[in-house]
Amino acid sequence: QLQLVESGGGLVQPGGSLRLSCVSSGFTLDYGAVGWFRQAPGKEREWVSCISDYTVRTTLYGESVKGRFTISRDNAKNLVYLQMNSLKPEDTGVYYCAFSNLGGVCSRGAYYYDRWGQGTQVTVAS
């Protein structure tokens, strides 16, 4: 069974940090781009970050998270991480990782990714 599973979400105070993990089963993450998206209640899904395939590892970030979030790969563990620092209440939402079988280049578009995890809740509140 082909699956993506996110973990690491939780409740954190403003200014705090969390590290989200995305692991695949049934396939490798090495040769495709991996993106992180989030969705807050009542809002549309928002692209957060992406990392290209393991040979290049280009990273891109949305303007709202640039300088605070870092995406990275651990190929040995078949994992992609999203390190989130200096969290703000507006970072609250369900975070999804997504994998693209279409290619290894990073993309901001949700249409580009064809495998999605179930999401992990991140709540930033005091």
Side-chain angles (χ1 to χ4, degrees):
Q1 190 175 4
L2 307 179
Q3 276 190 315
L4 280 176
V5 179
E6 304 94 336
S7 61
L11 172 64
V12 64
Q13 291 187 342
S17 298
L18 285 173
R19 188 178 75 165
L20 305 184
S21 300
C22 173
V23 65
S24 66
S25 62
F27 66 101
T28 177
L29 295 175
D30 289 356
Y31 302 109
V34 176
W36 283 96
F37 293 77
R38 66 187 181 189
Q39 188 164 21
K43 295 189 176 181
E44 293 188 352
R45 182 170 47 189
E46 174 190 12
W47 172 74
V48 174
S49 179
C50 62
I51 186 167
S52 61
D53 68 27
Y54 86 105
T55 60
V56 179
R57 303 193 189 198
T58 299
T59 58
L60 294 175
Y61 299 93
E63 286 300 318
S64 63
V65 306
K66 197 174 290 184
R68 299 187 297 122
F69 290 12
T70 303
I71 190 171
S72 62
R73 286 183 177 269
D74 185 334
N75 291 94
K77 297 180 180 179
N78 210 30
L79 278 164
V80 170
Y81 298 108
L82 184 68
Q83 177 67 44
M84 307 187 296
N85 298 328
S86 302
L87 283 161
K88 304 175 182 180
E90 51 263 43
D91 294 318
T92 295
V94 178
Y95 282 68
Y96 301 90
C97 72
F99 174 81
S100 176
N101 229 354
L102 300 178
V105 178
C106 234
S107 173
R108 295 171 173 82
Y111 64 90
Y112 185 70
Y113 301 90
D114 52 345
R115 294 175 187 166
W116 292 78
Q118 82 290 346
T120 185
Q121 176 70 45
V122 171
T123 303
V124 185
S126 53

